[in-house]
Amino acid sequence: MAIRVWFSLFLCVLALLGSVSYASESEESEFVVTLDHSNFSDFIGRHKFIVVEFYASWCGHCKKLAPEYEKAAQVLSQNDPPVVLAKVDANEEQNKILASEFDIKGFPTIKILRYGGSVVQDYKGPREAEGIVSYVKKQSGPASAEIKSSEDANAVINANKITIVGVFPEFSGEMFENFTAVAERLRSDNDFAHTSDAKLLPRGDSSVSGPVVRLLKPFDELFVDIQEFDVDALAKLVEEASIPTVTVFNKDPDNHPFVIKFFNSPNAKAMLFVNFNNDLIDTFKSKYHEVAEQYKGNGISFLIGDVDASQGAFQYFGLKEDQVPLIIIQTNDGEKYLKLNVEADHIASWVTEFKDGKVKPFKKSEPIPEVNSEPVKVVVADSFQDMVFNSGKNVLIEFYAPWCGHCKQLAPILDEVAVSFEKDADVMIAKIDATANDIPQGTFEVQGYPTLYFKSASGNISLHEARFEKRGAIIKGRTRGDFEVL
């Protein structure tokens, strides 16, 4: 659950998400293989390496990806050996068991399946054709590239990325095999290489002959030497060393992979937002780095974000630019803790107060409406408990976004249904702007808009069909933005 929450937040940080309908696939599509429940296992079982997109017919992001995915499939079909790209409509009822098996929580989700599906990894590459081709080619090749020359080193090692290089006197034995096992496990996140000549590497002791694993990175101490070769322990050390003490979020695309790592971390997330053009920016960075060093390994990850690049985060948290510099900590249970207009010298003491449990959680909420007389009642975070949980009514509630096209289409239909039940004291039709109000954690899972939940008077909550009949009309609410009127 935590990873899904943070992945959703990262999408908000990068951009505001729109909601558009997903048109049917072009009949001209030939290179992306369509799979479903009837042929999936057999087809996957025949391939050592295959890429599968799980999509939904209503998903706007899927629609944007479709032509790029098809172009990439065409190019990769000419690869030696050919690489197959496939797709599954995970929103189809008959395919939902596949979506559950592969833990599909949002769309599009792309998985890399190896060795007949026995190894499953998340696709973490680009979403445009050229980038897909480049990433998939790399993923389908050896997990670790051999460095035999300076040219090889220059081709593999990028000064702006992390590269993990195993230095071995010979490429055999248990330690080398364990290194390659870790490379196979973590290859979707990092570049791996191996060499017998440390002089070819740009940093670190050039006289070592190994075995040693040297992690080269563009931040903090620039390299780390690891001499642990237990597979699980080595993988953990590599992952820990791959996260900056303070992750920088700005418009530099080289920083984005580290931002993803930050949000995928199981730790609480501390985020300092400040104008990078501020005269005191160096002071803020220095003080913040000191705090991050102090709490390193204590369950908090730290990020500093430039206001100009963080508009998505500001909308997600309901913040305003005149409140910066500000620091916000969000825990994996969804609680948020906020300090507005913070001074650099006060960051350390505030984080200490948070760790000591002395900071009260922050809840994002629109004001409770003074007048709420329309048929569809407006719910906000501060009124959610009273209106939804404690009302004693059967409540159909829509979670919407103001910019969502489907929500705008649904609005007059929801109004009509609300009018039909206006005189029924046991029924309430309601809506909440899910972009401007915090949603109670652990009860409602909203991954797209509009999402409809039905809370019965007895307290049962369901995301399944909620039906209200009037003059023969039935509104059928489904998950993540799909609805129809019969």
Side-chain angles (χ1 to χ4, degrees), residues 384-395 425 428 455 457:
F384 203 101
Q385 189 72 28
D386 289 338
M387 293 186 68
V388 179
F389 289 121
N390 299 336
S391 67
K393 298 183 178 183
N394 297 296
V395 180
M428 180 194 301
K455 200 271 316 181

Side-chain angles (χ1 to χ4, degrees), residues 359-422:
V359 179
K360 293 183 178 179
F362 162 81
K363 181 166 64 176
K364 177 176 66 173
S365 178
E366 293 180 296
I368 296 176
E370 293 183 7
V371 178
N372 203 357
S373 57
E374 295 298 319
V376 178
K377 305 305 178 185
V378 175
V379 176
V380 299
D382 286 340
S383 64
F384 203 101
Q385 189 72 28
D386 289 338
M387 293 186 68
V388 179
F389 289 121
N390 299 336
S391 67
K393 298 183 178 183
N394 297 296
V395 180
L396 176 69
I397 183 166
E398 176 204 11
F399 297 83
Y400 75 95
W403 40 258
C404 165
H406 284 308
C407 303
K408 293 175 182 177
Q409 288 179 274
L410 178 60
I413 301 170
L414 203 62
D415 284 341
E416 182 179 348
V417 174
V419 169
S420 300
F421 286 89
E422 201 166 17

Side-chain angles (χ1 to χ4, degrees), residues 24 30 36 67 129 137 139 151 199 380 425 432:
S24 61
E30 298 176 354
D36 60 27
K137 280 185 175 181
Q139 291 296 312
E151 290 75 16
K199 295 183 178 65
V380 299
I432 183 170

Side-chain angles (χ1 to χ4, degrees), residues 469-480:
E469 299 191 32
K470 183 68 176 179
R471 301 187 190 94
I474 303 175
I475 180 169
K476 298 172 67 178
R478 296 193 179 91
T479 63
R480 305 183 186 93

